[in-house]
Amino acid sequence: MLTYVYRVTKYDPADRDEHGHYTGPEDTASDHGEIEAAYLQAVAAFATDTGIDHLVVREPQVPSVAYFGVEPPADGFGLDGLFRAGQAGFHDGAQVLLDVALELVRVMLRDSGAWCRLEAEDTFAVHVGWDQYVYVSSSQPCEEALARTRELGLFPERLDASPYAFRSEEEEQDIQRPGDDDFWADLHRAVATGHAGILEEMYLQGVSRWHHLTSGAIGPVRVGLAPRARLAVWPPLSTDIDAVLRAFPADGLVEALWQHDDGLIHSAIADEEQFPELTARISSARAAALLPVYAGERVPLCTAVMPDNDGVLRARWRTEPTPSDRDWALRQPKG
């Protein structure tokens, strides 16, 4: 945990009540102007004071089914033009120059698209919370940055820790399975025997890509996965379309997968009001399936998280362990 942590806001501490709640006149939305620019300049000053010129994207996410942002959703989640590889460049572990990191802070201040932690390991971190609260952590006291932040009209306040700092579940006994050679060998066998047929690639929190698996397709699918993606393996889609349509619940949310003759897998999460449109799409499909969306009901065959190219699993996010994952963990050497 970094020693120096500051909450940087536009909210004057003199306008807080006895519980620390702000009661002053400032709006919780970004002004897209001078105040927003002041936030970015303040973050830049802290980075400069710490000797940081680049940061690493951690645990990136975008809005999914429910959207609670203050502003309307931005096109492309606010990421357009920030990465040479387009949105594919926004992944866990992506290293970005400070200028790009500041643009990501801008996107988060506007609360209209992407979110992530921005960190330099054991040195520096920037976390953007709700309502224009920015938390800057550093290994250095950053006295010049503090003075500059005050000059900009913002209020830096010392804290013990950022409320958005990543906290690993140290009590959890389950071991995260990596998407290593052994995982892919097991997947080959599951596909060959007809037990597995779909791979869900969760490359951002809130977004999945779906891959149809055959023995010949597994290699290309593996090569094309996003760095540090979370993976979930599912059974093959059903070609009994009538049975899939009969399985629709009377109400509630459900995720539907369907595949046409082009081989691509499409997905949609819908409720009962959208079921008629969804059933029309599935009726003309070659194969389909329905998946639950509620916690505790959505259980794939197995899961994994992709390691880095050197084989080390550096991703901090985890998958929800399945019975198969726990069986795998029990077979691992104790050390």
Side-chain angles (χ1 to χ4, degrees):
M1 186 174 294
L2 295 170
T3 304
Y4 301 95
V5 181
Y6 303 98
R7 181 175 69 182
V8 177
T9 73
K10 59 184 177 181
Y11 307 118
D12 190 335
D15 293 326
R16 294 186 182 276
D17 63 19
E18 65 273 18
H19 304 292
H21 300 146
Y22 180 71
T23 59
E26 291 288 348
D27 193 356
T28 57
S30 174
D31 69 342
H32 292 222
E34 292 183 3
I35 297 176
E36 180 182 272
Y39 272 105
L40 302 186
Q41 292 174 58
V43 171
F46 278 100
T48 299
D49 243 10
T50 312
I52 294 298
D53 61 5
H54 67 273
L55 289 164
V56 175
V57 171
R58 301 308 309 266
E59 294 81 44
Q61 59 183 264
V62 296
S64 55
V65 177
Y67 177 72
F68 301 102
V70 175
E71 302 189 20
D75 292 341
F77 307 114
L79 299 171
D80 290 351
L82 294 186
F83 297 90
R84 183 177 302 176
Q87 289 184 21
F90 185 58
H91 61 78
D92 190 81
Q95 183 172 291
V96 297
L97 294 174
L98 181 58
D99 286 349
V100 175
L102 293 175
E103 288 304 314
L104 288 171
V105 171
R106 187 195 304 276
V107 170
M108 291 185 276
L109 285 171
R110 296 183 179 184
D111 193 24
S112 60
W115 187 90
C116 67
R117 296 177 177 89
L118 291 165
E119 301 180 356
E121 188 174 6
D122 300 326
T123 306
F124 189 74
V126 181
H127 305 144
V128 181
W130 296 100
D131 299 338
Q132 309 286 288
Y133 280 74
V134 175
Y135 301 87
V136 181
S137 306
S138 176
S139 60
Q140 306 299 319
C142 299
E143 296 294 345
E144 292 185 12
L146 288 169
R148 176 60 177 152
T149 299
R150 296 185 182 101
E151 289 175 0
L152 291 164
L154 301 178
F155 301 92
E157 301 169 82
R158 183 78 183 269
L159 300 179
D160 292 331
S162 165
Y164 292 88
F166 187 89
R167 291 172 176 82
S168 60
E169 301 296 331
E170 296 178 352
E171 304 80 19
E172 189 173 354
Q173 299 300 312
D174 294 303
I175 302 173
Q176 175 62 60
R177 184 170 190 180
D180 55 12
D181 290 343
D182 289 341
F183 168 83
W184 290 97
D186 287 347
L187 184 56
H188 266 282
R189 287 189 286 271
V191 171
T193 57
H195 289 92
I198 301 297
L199 182 71
E200 181 183 7
E201 175 196 2
M202 294 160 277
Y203 63 102
L204 297 174
Q205 182 70 33
V207 179
S208 291
R209 280 192 288 252
W210 297 88
H211 305 277
H212 177 60
L213 298 177
T214 63
S215 294
I218 291 177
V221 166
R222 180 181 182 181
V223 170
L225 294 174
R228 302 184 182 180
R230 292 174 296 168
L231 309 178
V233 178
W234 297 91
L237 299 181
S238 172
T239 56
D240 189 344
I241 299 299
D242 289 338
V244 174
L245 294 176
R246 289 195 300 271
F248 266 89
D251 54 29
L253 286 174
V254 68
E255 182 163 16
L257 308 179
W258 67 96
Q259 182 183 37
H260 291 296
D261 290 337
D262 58 7
L264 299 178
I265 296 177
H266 306 271
S267 70
I269 297 176
D271 60 20
E272 60 273 12
E273 293 184 0
Q274 300 159 316
F275 285 172
E277 179 182 353
L278 193 54
T279 55
R281 290 174 179 265
I282 292 175
S283 296
S284 61
R286 184 173 69 185
L290 299 181
L291 300 179
V293 299
Y294 299 109
E297 299 177 7
R298 189 181 177 91
V299 183
L301 299 174
C302 62
T303 69
V305 176
M306 289 299 293
D308 290 347
N309 290 334
D310 59 4
V312 177
L313 183 58
R314 295 186 177 89
R316 299 182 301 202
W317 51 19
R318 295 291 183 256
T319 58
E320 186 68 28
T322 68
S324 175
D325 298 335
R326 293 192 175 95
D327 289 343
W328 169 86
L330 290 173
R331 298 194 301 269
Q332 302 313 297
K334 308 299 181 183

